[in-house]
Amino acid sequence: MSSAPAGARETVAACPACLSVDARPFTTTAAMMHASDERFSFVRCGGCGVVYLSPRVPAADLGDWYPPSYLPWRGPAAWGRWAPLVASGLRATDRRRVRRVQRYGSLGPASRVLDVGCGRPTFLRALVDETGCRAVGTDVSDEGWKGEHALARDLDLRTGELEEFAFDESFDLVTMWHYLEHDYAPHRTLRTVRALAAPGARLVIEVPDHDSWSRRRYGAEWAGYHTPRHTVLWDSASLGSALESAGWQVEAIEPVGSLDAWTLAWMSRQERRGIDWADSMEPHFAGFLAGRALLWPLMRAWERLRGRRGTGVLTAVARAATDGR
Ligand SMILES: [Zn+2]
């Protein structure tokens, strides 16, 4: 385990979602998925209701919070002999994402897709393999595809901030899978992708749901905070108003997603227990699987009850209206 990072923290002057300066203390949480005694504060915006990290880690120092031992970067191998099962679970998540975006019209070789915060671009790989669309993925780091030629083949992958890139065509579909909660300026990002969207284009966003059952159940130990890497915690109301004010027409915001809601609950339980996330995950797999077998069907049943609070994640779908907005 790497040593706890220490350094300057920056107070956030205005809400990253709506720019209101009205903010009230909300909660404090320990650093998560990292050996650190540091605690961080979240505030709630008086304007749009979003919960955001303040003070936060300056963007230039964020690398301290993504050491080589960071679990998502270790991939399925972190789970030892269970790695093939974990890998098949990740492929199933990509398939759910591909099916989800295909609901909004057929994609083909003429379609242009942008995935913001693509990480390891397995979703784009699956989408391009299935539809032949042309795909661009962006991320602040190339850790997710460096040296992976088969994975990156035909994908236009770019490293840096979205605003820095020039694109010669507009996009028919923009996706953000667990990206927007990391963004330091989401109001700007949503406007930027609106300007890049073709008339009638869809934007699909999945984020942790701060208004969910699991956040209420686990409180400050809810893994959705992912402290201090998550800067903005959305709920359906704050995400909807951020989309509308960026010029998007909201079509649906649903308390479900491609991410297995049990995973978020399980991670919250491990934060509560204080496990060492840099260790092998192999001994934890049986507990993960048993809990999933017992509780996931209940969580799915809960999710299917329309109008009820979700268990852990939100999906928003918005359209770039053609009326000049
Ligand atoms: Zn706000």
Side-chain angles (χ1 to χ4, degrees):
M1 178 65 82
S2 54
S3 60
R9 302 291 175 243
E10 60 184 22
T11 298
V12 183
C15 171
C18 78
L19 305 182
S20 165
V21 294
D22 176 11
R24 318 268 157 86
F26 181 75
T27 190
T28 64
T29 90
M32 294 183 178
M33 213 175 263
H34 208 292
S36 165
D37 296 330
E38 189 170 353
R39 293 187 70 82
F40 288 84
S41 299
F42 286 84
V43 297
R44 188 189 279 279
C45 173
C48 71
V50 91
V51 170
Y52 62 93
L53 182 65
S54 181
R56 69 187 178 189
V57 178
D61 299 342
L62 257 187
D64 295 344
W65 293 88
Y66 293 93
S69 59
Y70 180 59
L71 181 60
W73 282 6
R74 285 153 65 206
W79 295 82
R81 64 195 169 107
W82 304 109
L85 274 176
V86 173
S88 112
L90 293 175
R91 282 194 298 274
T93 301
D94 286 327
R95 281 197 301 276
R96 281 196 289 276
R97 291 176 179 178
V98 168
R99 281 201 301 274
R100 173 91 208 191
V101 301
Q102 285 178 319
R103 282 197 218 167
Y104 310 109
S106 69
L107 294 166
S111 312
R112 294 256 301 164
V113 177
L114 169 65
D115 188 30
V116 183
C118 65
R120 195 161 189 277
T122 54
F123 159 70
L124 285 182
R125 174 81 272 139
L127 189 67
V128 170
D129 287 348
E130 184 153 336
T131 68
C133 69
R134 290 174 295 153
V136 179
T138 71
D139 212 308
V140 293
S141 151
D142 65 356
E143 282 296 324
W145 64 82
K146 208 166 49 182
E148 298 226 39
H149 302 297
L151 178 66
R153 179 178 42 89
D154 322 323
L155 305 179
D156 177 356
L157 300 171
R158 305 191 189 191
T159 309
E161 298 289 342
L162 190 61
E163 294 74 27
E164 299 165 7
F165 305 125
F167 299 104
D168 48 10
E169 287 176 280
S170 54
F171 293 95
D172 306 298
L173 170 69
V174 180
T175 54
M176 298 179 186
W177 305 108
H178 293 272
Y179 164 76
L180 203 61
E181 65 271 33
H182 292 266
D183 199 320
Y184 273 47
H187 67 285
R188 189 180 63 193
T189 299
L190 294 175
R191 281 181 168 77
T192 301
V193 292
R194 179 66 185 83
L196 294 171
R202 291 310 203 300
L203 170 63
V204 179
I205 297 175
E206 184 174 313
V207 290
D209 178 5
H210 192 264
D211 193 34
S212 60
W213 167 84
S214 63
R215 201 275 300 170
R216 285 158 199 272
R217 170 84 175 77
Y218 295 103
E221 287 151 326
W222 182 55
Y225 287 116
H226 206 46
T227 317
R229 305 170 196 84
H230 287 181
T231 52
V232 184
L233 279 309
W234 304 90
D235 57 21
S236 53
S238 56
L239 185 55
S241 67
L243 282 164
E244 294 280 354
S245 65
W248 289 97
Q249 212 171 59
V250 176
E251 290 188 321
I253 300 187
E254 298 165 8
V256 289
S258 63
L259 193 80
D260 178 340
W262 164 246
T263 302
L264 198 56
W266 179 82
M267 286 168 62
S268 305
R269 296 167 82 91
Q270 307 317 308
E271 291 291 352
R272 183 167 280 182
R273 292 175 55 204
I275 70 160
D276 185 348
W277 292 98
D279 268 355
S280 169
M281 290 290 113
E282 189 174 304
H284 301 296
F285 190 75
F288 173 82
L289 213 59
R292 188 173 185 272
L294 290 170
L295 291 177
W296 197 41
L298 290 176
M299 295 171 87
R300 288 294 292 269
W302 176 281
E303 284 172 349
R304 287 197 180 107
L305 294 171
R306 291 266 163 190
R308 298 292 292 271
R309 182 173 288 135
T311 54
V313 295
L314 275 183
T315 305
V317 181
R319 190 166 182 273
T322 49
D323 60 3
R325 291 177 65 204

